[in-house]
């Protein structure tokens, strides 16, 4: 009986030990599983944080991209504004240079005009005791020329009705070209012109043609001058052509000679305003003056046209 009890006790102890051992193993296994679960949760949390960080980074990247595009647009606009500013500055510099050039020309013109006026005053002072009507008339003409030197003036009032040849006759008389001893002067009047009347300002028309005759007389040292008077009924114009055998004018100077104070030959007297005044007068009368041939050494042909 005692043996039986001992065996039972041993069995109970063995079973208890086995149960304890299994319980410990189960506990350890449970703890290991909890550690694995905790580790898994930690990794899930880390991945979730990484995902949130990635989304945040993606959002920031998108914001950076928008900012970059805006920066590029701002940079392009800045370049455009700089280019506009550069062009505006260049235009301003050109305008300033043009104004300076214009101012210089005006100052030079004013200086020349003042010199011309001073010369006229000097001539008047010298003439005071001579009582010379011809010289007085010439001086009056010089003063009138200074008044007609500017091209930006209103048209002349046209109220005179001379026949076309009258303008030529008076211009010849005023210039004295028919009395010159060293050249031959000819005048040719078309029959149709003798019966045609002008509506013009007669003194001004005579003055314009006188300048052309004076110019031909001045620059023709050998040969002659011819005045041809005609009418162009198609254009309704009186035509006064002054031809000379002088030194001629180069093509490059064909328009420059009509600018004020331009003298192609400094050895001749004068202010260099005769052709300028003549053209200004012609245009203010509704006509014009042109140089029809421009070639050095072949003489010149100036043509004055006036409306009829």
């Amino acid at each position: 009986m005692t043996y039986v009890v001992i065996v039972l006790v041993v069995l109970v102890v063995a079973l208890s030990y086995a149960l304890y051992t299994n319980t410990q193993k189960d506990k350890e296994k449970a703890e290991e599983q909890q550690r694995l679960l905790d580790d898994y949760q930690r990794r899930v949390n880390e991945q979730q944080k990484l995902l949130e960080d990635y989304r945040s980074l993606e959002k920031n990247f998108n914001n950076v991209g928008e900012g970059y595009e805006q920066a590029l647009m701002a940079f392009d606009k800045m370049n455009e504004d700089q280019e506009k500013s550069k062009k505006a500055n260049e235009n301003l510099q050109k305008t300033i240079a043009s104004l300076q050039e214009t101012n210089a020309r005006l100052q030079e013109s004013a200086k020349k005009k003042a010199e011309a006026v001073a010369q006229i005053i000097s001539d008047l002072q010298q003439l005071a005791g001579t009582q010379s009507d011809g010289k007085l008339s010439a001086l009056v003409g010089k003063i009138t020329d200074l008044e007609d030197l500017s091209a930006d003036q209103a048209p002349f009032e046209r109220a005179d009705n001379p026949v076309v040849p009258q303008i030529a006759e008076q211009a010849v008389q005023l210039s004295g070209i028919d009395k010159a001893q060293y050249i031959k002067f000819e005048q040719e009047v078309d029959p149709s012109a003798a019966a045609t009347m002008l509506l013009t300002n007669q003194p001004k028309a005579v003055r314009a043609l006188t300048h052309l005759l004076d110019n031909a007389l001045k620059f023709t040292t050998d040969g002659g001058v011819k005045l041809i008077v005609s009418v162009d009924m198609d254009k309704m114009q009186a035509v006064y052509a002054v031809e000379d055998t002088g030194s001629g004018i180069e093509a490059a100077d064909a328009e420059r000679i009509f600018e004020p104070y331009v003298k192609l030959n400094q050895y001749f007297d004068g202010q260099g305003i005769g052709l300028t005044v003549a053209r200004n007068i012609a245009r203010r009368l509704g006509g014009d003056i042109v140089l029809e041939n421009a070639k050095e050494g072949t003489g010149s042909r100036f043509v004055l046209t006036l409306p009829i």
Side-chain angles (χ1 to χ4, degrees):
M1 189 67 169
T2 303
Y3 289 108
V4 172
V5 172
I6 294 171
V7 170
L8 289 172
V9 171
V10 170
L11 288 172
V12 169
V13 170
L15 289 173
S16 296
Y17 179 77
L19 181 60
Y20 173 78
T21 303
N22 288 334
T23 301
Q24 285 295 110
K25 287 182 178 180
D26 290 337
K27 182 179 179 182
E28 290 175 359
K29 186 180 292 184
E31 290 176 352
E32 179 65 20
Q33 289 178 347
Q34 184 64 41
R35 282 196 300 272
L36 290 174
L37 183 62
D38 291 342
D39 185 67
Y40 174 78
Q41 185 64 42
R42 180 179 59 78
R43 293 190 181 194
V44 168
N45 291 340
E46 288 178 352
Q47 290 178 351
Q48 183 67 30
K49 187 174 184 307
L50 287 174
L51 181 61
E52 291 176 357
D53 291 341
Y54 173 79
R55 288 175 178 173
S56 176
L57 182 62
E58 184 180 39
K59 183 178 180 180
N60 290 336
F61 181 80
N62 290 335
N63 291 336
V64 169
E66 292 178 358
Y68 180 74
E69 291 179 357
Q70 293 176 355
L72 284 179
M73 292 175 62
F75 182 77
D76 290 341
K77 188 175 186 307
M78 182 180 69
N79 284 339
E80 184 179 348
D81 291 341
Q82 286 179 343
E83 188 65 24
K84 288 181 179 179
S85 177
K86 180 181 178 181
K87 290 182 178 179
N89 184 59
E90 290 175 352
N91 290 334
L92 180 60
Q93 293 296 329
K94 289 179 181 178
T95 301
I96 291 174
S98 177
L99 289 174
Q100 289 175 340
E101 183 179 348
T102 301
N103 183 57
R105 286 201 305 266
L106 289 174
Q107 289 181 348
E108 182 65 20
S109 179
K111 178 182 176 182
K112 295 287 187 180
K113 197 169 185 178
E115 292 174 354
V117 171
Q119 183 61 48
I120 291 171
I121 293 173
S122 176
D123 292 344
L124 284 172
Q125 290 173 341
Q126 293 179 8
L127 190 63
T130 65
Q131 301 297 322
S132 172
D133 292 338
K135 290 184 178 181
L136 282 173
S137 177
L139 287 174
V140 170
K142 290 182 180 180
I143 294 173
T144 304
D145 286 345
L146 293 177
E147 294 175 351
D148 296 330
L149 187 57
S150 175
D152 301 326
Q153 298 188 64
F156 289 120
E157 180 180 355
R158 295 184 292 154
D160 302 325
N161 294 108
V163 291
V164 173
Q166 277 185 267
I167 303 298
E169 292 168 3
Q170 292 182 18
V172 169
Q173 182 180 359
L174 282 175
S175 67
I177 194 170
D178 57 333
K179 298 178 176 60
Q181 300 297 319
Y182 57 92
I183 65 167
K184 179 182 178 181
F185 174 70
E186 297 179 70
Q187 183 173 339
E188 180 183 304
V189 180
D190 189 275
S192 61
T196 304
M197 298 181 68
L198 291 167
L199 177 60
T200 190
N201 182 315
Q202 187 168 344
K204 293 297 183 181
V206 170
R207 189 67 186 161
L209 184 54
T210 299
H211 275 300
L212 294 186
L213 293 173
D214 285 342
N215 185 75
L217 181 61
K218 182 186 297 183
F219 293 101
T220 304
T221 57
D222 186 31
V225 176
K226 186 175 184 179
L227 172 60
I228 304 171
V229 183
S230 61
V231 291
D232 185 339
M233 298 308 296
D234 292 333
K235 296 182 180 180
M236 297 298 290
Q237 291 178 334
V239 182
Y240 303 88
V242 179
E243 301 176 350
D244 65 59
T245 59
S247 56
I249 298 170
E250 293 184 3
D253 296 319
E255 281 300 311
R256 198 167 74 88
I257 57 173
F258 290 104
E259 296 177 4
Y261 307 111
V262 171
K263 296 177 65 176
L264 300 184
N265 192 325
Q266 301 297 324
Y267 293 101
F268 288 93
D269 294 334
Q271 300 292 328
I273 62 175
L275 292 177
T276 308
V277 171
R279 174 179 272 188
N280 289 348
I281 291 174
R283 290 180 174 178
R284 291 173 68 189
L285 289 173
D288 203 358
I289 290 179
V290 296
L291 173 63
E292 286 197 341
N293 68 319
K295 189 174 182 182
E296 189 175 10
T298 61
S300 301
R301 176 182 166 88
F302 287 90
V303 178
L304 163 66
T305 55
L306 296 173
I308 57 178

